[in-house]
Amino acid sequence: MTTESQPTSSGLTHIAEPPGVAPGTGYTQVVTAAGRLVAVSGQVAFDARRQLVGEGDPGAQARQVFENLRRCLAAAGADFSHVVKLTYFLTDIAHMPAVREARDEAFGELPLPASSAMQVAALFLPEVLIEIEALAVVPG
């Protein structure tokens, strides 16, 4: 059974359960959109002065990453309601619960986007635990 929501005010349609595909937990399997593409480079837990927030604390880093994503989206005239895909890069997959918590705070009641998560051997600095990139589509 295909579970398809009505298009949201941001012009996205979420298909949670395409036929023959197991339902996702904490993400949407398919998101369709039409409009202007916004690609946000991988964000890490740097503040505006390039100081790392939350060294050794995946929860603090995840919250800062989502704040950076929010600011990048806003600069492009977008917000979390326009996000169609998130890609998570974690130095330890055990950080995923902290990332999900920060994501849920950022997205609130919005439908969750499509997503992929992977554990990587390292990021560009050993103190950086999480990097997240986003794709968004703004209608029109």
Side-chain angles (χ1 to χ4, degrees), residues 99-116:
V99 170
R100 285 185 183 127
E101 185 176 323
R103 178 210 56 205
D104 291 349
E105 289 172 13
F107 276 77
E109 297 297 317
L110 294 170
L112 295 175
S115 66
S116 298

Side-chain angles (χ1 to χ4, degrees), residues 13-84:
T13 300
H14 294 76
I15 304 169
E17 299 178 29
V21 177
T25 302
Y27 61 94
T28 299
Q29 292 286 11
V30 180
V31 180
T32 65
R36 181 173 51 88
L37 180 65
V38 176
V40 179
S41 291
Q43 295 297 302
V44 298
F46 286 156
D47 65 15
R49 296 176 318 240
R50 197 172 169 82
Q51 299 299 307
L52 182 65
V53 173
E55 185 170 345
D57 181 346
Q61 287 197 22
R63 287 187 298 278
Q64 182 65 44
V65 168
F66 277 97
E67 176 58 18
N68 292 348
L69 288 169
R70 184 193 67 73
R71 290 176 180 174
C72 289
L73 290 165
D79 59 39
F80 286 116
S81 72
H82 300 109
V83 173
V84 296

